C-alpha cells in the first residue's frame, strides 16, 4: 500500500502500521453511522429512509439478545518524512 509515497522523490523511509480494534454499538448507533455516510445522506428522502430501515432491521437481527453489535475496524497509519 502507498507505493506512490514510497517511490516519490523527496521522501525518506516510509513507516506504516495497522491497528485493529472492535467497536461495540447498539443498532441505533449503526443506523446513525450509515446515515452519516455521504452516499446515504445524499439519497432522496424516501430512498434514504428505506436504506436506513433495512440497516436497522439487519442491525437488530444481528445484535440479538445482547443488544450490541461488534464492528471490527482497522486503521492504517503511514508516516513519510521529507528528506
Amino acid at each position: 500500500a502507498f507505493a506512490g509515497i514510497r517511490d516519490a522523490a523527496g521522501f525518506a523511509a516510509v513507516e506504516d502500521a495497522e491497528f485493529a480494534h472492535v467497536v461495540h454499538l447498539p443498532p441505533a448507533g449503526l443506523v446513525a453511522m450509515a446515515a452519516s455516510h455521504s452516499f446515504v445522506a445524499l439519497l432522496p428522502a424516501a430512498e434514504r429512509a428505506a436504506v436506513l430501515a433495512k440497516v436497522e432491521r439487519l442491525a437488530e437481527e444481528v445484535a440479538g439478545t445482547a443488544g450490541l453489535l461488534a464492528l471490527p475496524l482497522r486503521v492504517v497509519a503511514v508516516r513519510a518524512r521529507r528528506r
Side-chain angles (χ1 to χ4, degrees):
F2 305 99
I5 293 172
R6 291 185 197 291
D7 299 333
F11 288 100
V14 175
E15 302 172 66
D16 60 80
E18 291 187 22
F19 305 93
H21 62 286
V22 177
V23 173
H24 294 90
L25 67 164
L30 185 63
V31 173
M33 182 183 295
S36 74
H37 288 274
S38 62
F39 61 88
V40 175
L42 294 175
L43 291 171
E47 193 174 345
R48 182 174 58 251
V51 167
L52 295 176
K54 287 180 184 179
V55 170
E56 183 175 26
R57 282 193 300 275
L58 176 63
E60 288 174 352
E61 180 182 313
V62 172
T65 58
L68 290 175
L69 299 157
L71 185 63
L73 299 173
R74 181 178 63 131
V75 174
V76 177
V78 179
R79 179 170 70 175
R81 295 184 182 183
R82 288 184 160 172
R83 291 188 179 160

